[in-house]
Amino acid sequence: MSRWLKPLGLEPWDWKACWKSVDFWLALAILVIPFGPLLLVPLRWESVRLRVQALRRS
């Protein structure tokens, strides 16, 4: 893989030190901020469903 990256002027990704870089945290923030709420939607609907079931039983 590095033989294709070097001619393009890119370096192979260092997986052990990637989380220490600012670029990693910036990319993570760019992905989490817009898509993070979408991950919470199923959790919210699950709690609503459980509440409705509890109300029906009582």
Side-chain angles (χ1 to χ4, degrees):
M1 180 92 152
S2 64
R3 66 179 178 182
W4 294 308
L5 292 175
K6 295 268 184 191
L8 295 173
L10 301 172
E11 293 292 323
W13 192 269
D14 182 15
W15 292 104
K16 293 179 183 172
C18 70
W19 63 272
K20 296 177 185 177
S21 71
V22 175
D23 296 335
F24 172 78
W25 293 108
L26 182 63
L28 187 67
I30 288 171
L31 291 173
V32 168
I33 289 172
F35 298 113
L38 294 175
L39 297 173
L40 297 176
V41 169
L43 295 175
R44 189 171 6 147
W45 282 112
E46 183 66 25
S47 64
V48 169
R49 187 176 64 84
L50 291 174
R51 280 190 224 148
V52 169
Q53 286 178 350
L55 288 173
R56 286 183 182 171
R57 290 181 188 156
S58 61

